[in-house]
Amino acid sequence: MYDQRLTRPVVWIQIFFASVSVPIYNSEMAPPHLRGRFNQFYQIILTLFILVAQVINLIINLTNAVRWGWRLSLGFAFVPSSVLFLGGIFLPDSPNSLLERGFPEQARKNLEYVRGRKDVDKEFNDLVEAAHIAAQCKNPWGTIFSKKYWPQLVLSACSTTFQQWTGINTLIFYAPQLFLALGTTKNISLIAAIILGACNHLATYVAWWTADIFGRKTLFLQAGFQMAGALSVVAISLKCLGEQGVWMAWYILANHLRLWVYAWSWGPLGWLYPTEIQTLETRSCGLAVASFCNLLFGAVVAQTFLTMLCRLQVWSKCYVSCMHVFCVAM
């Protein structure tokens, strides 16, 4: 118990660092016309390993290794963290980072390497100009909190705050418990969680293909309305589950719908949007604020949802539906 109390804050800090550095690195290394798609690889890989974790949980339960369950689940987390560490050793520095640290020759070499061609004059000159402007900023944190940058700061914070307030992590975190509460067996509940995880991962590719076609705002807006409607159905079905069995089907269908909609909108775009609206001199600070809000409200949701669901019952779902109205308003 005490070991977990010591290690969890360390893991939390590492997740914070990764959630800041990975989107920034993807954004800086991607070709300008493909930046949206490259940045969404972060969410694609994230949902993939959520699915892998759910499969591992089912395998552990089927093999009667329950006594070692949490130890194996945490132990397998060593694999992706090792890949991240070893991969980081061989990754080239981004041209933006090298220019900001005063290595223009190496920056051009890395730009030519990642683009696969020598003709990078126009893009390199744009990066040099942006780096020159960023170099004039001596205090990024003071800059981002100045009045001029308030819009970028607020929107970066809101994009990941409302990402959590959509309530989707209540479904991802507690899917097995929710299905157990509806009367399924443990294995069936774990299989249902895997189906949800697969839907979450596959639907992310929709945003990967459509975000650059329809635009970010369109996906945000349609998702807000659709998830609000889906959660309204969830709230009504929870209230009526004891009266008619048909409400079970409506409950499951509505939850799958809101997961699909979230996965092609607020899931990937919540991370993409802050990287695109921040200037080079405030990008790291802006992503740090966005990541902090995501982890903070993710922890709040995780710690309060079950209590709120038990005490407020249907009204907790109505409350989350109201949050979607704020998502649309944003």
Side-chain angles (χ1 to χ4, degrees):
M1 177 64 72
Y2 290 103
D3 290 341
Q4 291 188 47
R5 290 176 181 176
L6 292 174
T7 56
R8 281 183 178 179
V10 175
V11 172
W12 190 89
I13 292 172
Q14 302 312 312
I15 292 173
F16 175 79
F17 286 158
S19 63
V20 173
S21 59
V22 172
I24 291 178
Y25 185 82
N26 288 347
S27 178
E28 293 181 348
M29 296 296 280
H33 65 289
L34 294 175
R35 187 162 292 144
R37 290 187 177 180
F38 269 72
N39 216 319
Q40 291 182 70
F41 274 122
Y42 174 78
Q43 186 71 11
I44 288 175
I45 298 302
L46 184 66
T47 57
L48 174 63
F49 278 94
I50 289 175
L51 175 60
V52 170
Q54 291 165 335
V55 172
I56 290 173
N57 289 338
L58 177 62
I59 293 174
I60 290 173
N61 191 66
L62 290 175
T63 55
N64 294 321
V66 178
R67 187 170 66 89
W68 293 91
W70 66 269
R71 296 177 178 86
L72 291 174
S73 295
L74 293 178
F76 279 120
F78 172 80
V79 177
S81 60
S82 299
V83 172
L84 184 64
F85 171 73
L86 295 175
I89 295 175
F90 300 100
L91 284 176
D93 245 329
S94 72
N96 302 71
S97 175
L98 290 168
L99 285 171
E100 288 187 23
R101 288 182 285 145
F103 301 101
E105 296 83 5
Q106 187 61 42
R108 183 180 179 92
K109 288 181 181 178
N110 283 16
L111 184 62
E112 292 174 352
Y113 173 72
V114 296
R115 298 293 180 263
R117 52 188 171 84
K118 296 290 185 179
D119 182 20
V120 294
D121 292 337
K122 184 178 184 306
E123 183 178 359
F124 182 71
N125 290 335
D126 291 340
L127 294 177
V128 171
E129 183 180 355
H132 176 70
I133 296 173
Q136 299 175 10
C137 176
K138 304 301 181 182
N139 183 9
W141 283 105
T143 300
I144 198 172
F145 282 101
S146 64
K147 189 173 182 179
K148 177 182 176 181
Y149 292 91
W150 279 357
Q152 292 96 319
L153 174 65
V154 172
L155 288 174
S156 295
C158 286
S159 66
T160 50
T161 297
F162 285 114
Q163 187 187 58
Q164 290 296 331
W165 280 15
T166 60
I168 201 65
N169 277 344
T170 61
L171 184 60
I172 296 175
F173 291 165
Y174 300 117
Q177 288 86 347
L178 289 173
F179 284 108
L180 279 173
L182 295 175
T184 63
T185 64
K186 182 177 288 188
N187 286 340
I188 295 298
S189 66
L190 292 174
I191 292 173
I194 291 174
I195 294 173
L196 286 174
C199 292
N200 186 26
H201 177 65
L202 294 175
T204 307
Y205 291 100
V206 177
W208 193 72
W209 282 106
T210 61
D212 290 333
I213 298 175
F214 299 107
R216 284 65 164 148
K217 183 178 179 180
T218 301
L219 293 181
F220 275 136
L221 289 174
Q222 61 85 28
F225 281 113
Q226 291 184 43
M227 285 193 286
L231 274 170
S232 298
V233 174
V234 169
I236 296 171
S237 61
L238 279 176
K239 182 65 176 178
C240 302
L241 273 176
E243 301 172 8
Q244 296 183 26
V246 69
W247 288 106
M248 174 79 75
W250 281 108
Y251 174 82
I252 295 174
L253 180 63
N255 271 321
H256 277 79
L257 174 61
R258 73 182 178 108
L259 182 65
W260 273 92
V261 174
Y262 169 87
W264 71 54
S265 57
W266 280 93
L269 299 185
W271 293 107
L272 173 62
Y273 191 65
T275 65
E276 294 185 327
I277 63 175
Q278 293 291 341
T279 59
L280 184 60
E281 60 267 27
T282 61
R283 185 176 296 163
S284 297
C285 297
L287 261 294
V289 171
S291 181
F292 174 79
C293 291
N294 177 273
L295 294 174
L296 172 64
F297 287 102
V300 170
V301 169
Q303 296 300 319
T304 61
F305 172 72
L306 287 182
T307 301
M308 185 167 60
L309 183 63
C310 293
R311 294 191 178 183
L312 301 182
Q313 296 180 2
V314 66
W315 299 111
S316 64
K317 292 295 181 181
C318 292
Y319 171 79
V320 179
S321 294
C322 292
M323 292 301 100
H324 287 295
V325 176
F326 288 102
C327 294
V328 175
M330 176 184 150

